Amino acid sequence: MVATVWQALGGATTASVSDVTVLQPDETDVLAQHVVNQMMANLTSFTFKRYDAVLPPSDEAAEYQRLLFEFKHDLDEYLRERGRNQSLTDIIAYNNADLATRAPFGQNLLLAAEATTGDLSSPVYQDVDRRARNYATTSLEKLLTASDVVAGADFRLVDFAAVAGYPSISIPFGQFGDVTFGGLASIIAVARPHEEAKLLTFARAAEEIGQRVIPSLGEESETMAWQRD
């Protein structure tokens, strides 16, 4: 489906992929280790190389501040575009009138976002945006050095791609009940900007060797069974 949508948008869905860097999972993550090993053993059309060096330290404070600025800016913009004479300020006030019902888990995120200016041209936002992007881009470029795609079962790849603006895809890889009590697994792949076709080529190959998870019927309806497509 992803390939079909991308093709409808005018993008190519196939490209040459030979070298793939694998982000080595933490040795305590049994499921991720198993997925990576299965991927490398069965996707024989690619040349894999493991990356187990330490990535640059993340700047979580910058990422969080960037999120708060963008949340306020985008929500207020959304409401204005739809002719609503409302803002994040109004939503917070509405919730405060009946917190137990309207915001039973609190609204700390809303309050933190409201405390920012929401101005994406402000020096404060520009600084945190630069810091967050630099970290994510540097991490991905270390992984993508001399590779077409970086892949793994580490969800840090999703964060790197989202912050840096790189294309990514998650490929369901099945269930490993014998490893982590029924844990579902995915392969995550990332490529450089405008190289979505490489992602789709890799994802198509990974999907061919993965397992589709189908609910069992009858007495074992609460379990998930291994099934091949």
Side-chain angles (χ1 to χ4, degrees), residues 16-195:
S16 175
V17 176
S18 56
D19 297 317
V20 178
T21 295
V22 177
L23 180 57
Q24 184 67 15
D26 188 283
E27 61 182 12
T28 63
D29 192 335
V30 179
L31 178 59
Q33 291 276 0
H34 188 73
V35 171
V36 165
N37 290 338
Q38 289 291 313
M39 175 181 69
M40 296 178 69
N42 290 285
L43 284 174
T44 57
S45 58
F46 305 112
T47 300
F48 290 102
K49 55 183 178 182
R50 294 181 184 267
Y51 185 95
D52 54 11
V54 177
L55 290 170
S58 63
D59 194 334
E60 294 180 359
E63 288 188 25
Y64 185 61
Q65 282 300 309
R66 177 180 137 165
L67 178 147
L68 295 177
F69 266 88
E70 293 178 354
F71 182 87
K72 179 175 182 177
H73 174 274
D74 293 349
L75 180 59
D76 286 352
E77 188 70 19
Y78 172 85
L79 293 172
R80 279 194 298 271
E81 287 178 354
R82 278 149 183 78
R84 303 283 293 274
N85 188 28
Q86 293 176 315
S87 66
L88 177 59
T89 305
D90 299 310
I91 293 173
I92 291 172
Y94 175 80
N95 289 341
N96 279 334
D98 187 2
L99 274 176
T101 301
R102 297 171 182 170
F105 300 105
Q107 50 183 348
N108 291 340
L109 178 62
L110 303 188
L111 293 169
E114 177 66 5
T116 74
T117 64
D119 181 2
L120 304 191
S121 65
S122 72
V124 175
Y125 173 79
Q126 294 293 323
D127 177 61
V128 295
D129 180 55
R130 174 188 55 78
R131 285 161 47 197
R133 286 182 185 275
N134 282 353
Y135 158 69
T137 302
T138 299
S139 297
L140 286 176
E141 287 302 325
K142 283 182 177 294
L143 294 165
L144 283 165
T145 299
S147 292
D148 298 302
V149 172
V150 56
D154 191 322
F155 278 88
R156 284 182 299 170
L157 290 172
V158 176
D159 294 334
F160 295 161
V163 174
Y166 282 38
S168 67
I169 191 167
S170 178
I171 309 118
F173 205 63
Q175 180 188 27
F176 297 86
D178 57 328
V179 178
T180 55
F181 306 101
L184 300 179
S186 296
I187 291 174
I188 299 146
V190 182
R192 288 189 172 89
H194 311 299
E195 294 187 349

